[in-house]
């Protein structure tokens, strides 16, 4: 149910949301009041309506709620997630309202991390943690869409090519080193084990 009433030289538009609460807004022009009602009515009809007040929660407050319900990671991973939030996401977005954060804000966040000399893999990890919060906010009907969509991340640099010793080089190293480590050289060269396993 929606309607428009004239109040002095203004037009007051009112509609009832899916939560059965009335929302009212005043406009100078009647056409603006009608447009506002039409937009909200269409959102309600297609199930895309979000309470305008929901997005006013700050990133800091929402991320606390998100963190308290995050149960899909190990204890070690949770420590990493908390560290990324505390050291990076909260200082940047903390006081901002969830509904006010735009893709440009996220791009600025990524650029700031990159300019601070963070490795591309670190920037990606921080970004993905932050993006999870916005994704959940969409599912919780806090915001309509995530501001992280389409944000480019720095490319990871090329890894150096691996160089392997030839059979001759392995034998030279094994005969040059202290005799008690000779077996270790051969095991490392041909055993296919990681350093910790050796």
């Amino acid at each position: 149910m929606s309607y428009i009433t004239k109040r002095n030289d203004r037009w007051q538009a009112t509609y009832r949301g899916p939560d059965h609460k009335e929302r009212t807004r005043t406009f100078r022009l009647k056409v603006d009041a009608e447009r506002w009602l039409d937009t909200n009515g269409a959102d309600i009809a297609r199930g895309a309506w979000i309470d305008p007040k929901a997005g006013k929660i700050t990133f800091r407050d929402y991320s606390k709620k998100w963190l308290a319900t995050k149960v899909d990671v190990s204890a070690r991973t949770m420590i990493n997630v908390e560290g990324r939030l505390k050291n990076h996401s909260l200082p940047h977005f903390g006081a901002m309202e969830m509904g006010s954060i735009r893709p440009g804000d996220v791009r600025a966040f990524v650029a700031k991390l990159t300019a601070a000399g963070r490795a591309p893999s670190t920037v990606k990890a921080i970004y993905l943690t932050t993006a999870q919060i916005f994704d959940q906010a969409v599912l919780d009907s806090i915001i309509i869409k995530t501001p992280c969509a389409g944000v480019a991340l720095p490319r990871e640099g090329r890894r150096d090519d691996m160089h392997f010793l030839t059979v001759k080089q392995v034998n030279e190293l094994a005969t040059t080193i202290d005799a008690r480590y000779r077996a270790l050289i051969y095991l490392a060269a041909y055993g296919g084990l990681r350093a910790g396993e050796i």
Side-chain angles (χ1 to χ4, degrees):
M1 176 181 89
S2 63
Y3 56 91
I4 298 174
T5 54
K6 182 93 186 262
R7 302 276 185 198
N8 299 322
D9 60 340
R10 300 256 180 203
W11 297 92
Q12 182 175 300
T14 304
Y15 73 91
R16 189 178 302 277
D19 58 359
H20 307 293
K21 293 180 182 174
E22 283 193 349
R23 266 70 179 190
T24 301
R25 196 164 157 196
T26 305
F27 298 88
R28 192 173 58 80
L29 300 175
K30 185 176 182 182
V31 67
D32 292 334
E34 291 169 342
R35 187 176 300 120
W36 185 72
L37 289 178
D38 290 344
T39 299
N40 283 289
D43 288 345
I44 291 168
R46 68 176 195 273
W49 181 85
I50 290 180
D51 181 352
K53 292 181 182 175
K56 293 193 178 297
I57 186 171
T58 64
F59 180 87
R60 175 172 287 104
D61 291 340
Y62 184 76
S63 65
K64 282 180 189 173
K65 291 180 179 182
W66 172 80
L67 199 57
T69 60
K70 185 156 184 66
V71 296
D72 61 335
V73 294
S74 69
R76 178 69 195 136
T77 301
M78 183 59 86
I79 290 169
N80 291 335
V81 167
E82 289 171 343
R84 290 178 201 132
L85 282 175
K86 178 183 174 187
N87 298 322
H88 306 288
S89 307
L90 289 174
H92 189 85
F93 295 113
M96 298 174 74
E97 293 180 352
M98 291 293 288
S100 72
I101 300 170
R102 300 289 176 255
D105 299 315
V106 179
R107 287 194 305 275
F109 176 56
V110 169
K112 179 179 170 185
L113 293 171
T114 304
R118 306 273 177 226
S121 59
T122 302
V123 173
K124 182 177 181 181
I126 295 166
Y127 164 83
L128 289 174
T129 296
T130 307
Q132 284 181 34
I133 295 171
F134 288 112
D135 289 342
Q136 189 61 54
V138 171
L139 295 175
D140 288 345
S141 297
I142 300 297
I143 55 176
I144 296 171
K145 61 183 181 177
T146 175
C148 294
V151 173
L153 298 175
R155 291 185 181 185
E156 297 206 28
R158 272 188 48 201
R159 295 175 187 246
D160 293 334
D161 291 336
M162 296 179 78
H163 299 284
F164 300 96
L165 298 179
T166 65
V167 173
K168 182 180 177 186
Q169 291 171 324
V170 171
N171 288 333
E172 284 176 12
L173 181 59
T175 56
T176 305
I177 199 165
D178 188 313
R180 63 186 169 155
Y181 297 117
R182 191 164 290 143
L184 180 68
I185 296 300
Y186 287 114
L187 180 62
Y190 303 118
L193 301 173
R194 293 180 291 220
E197 295 168 328
I198 295 170

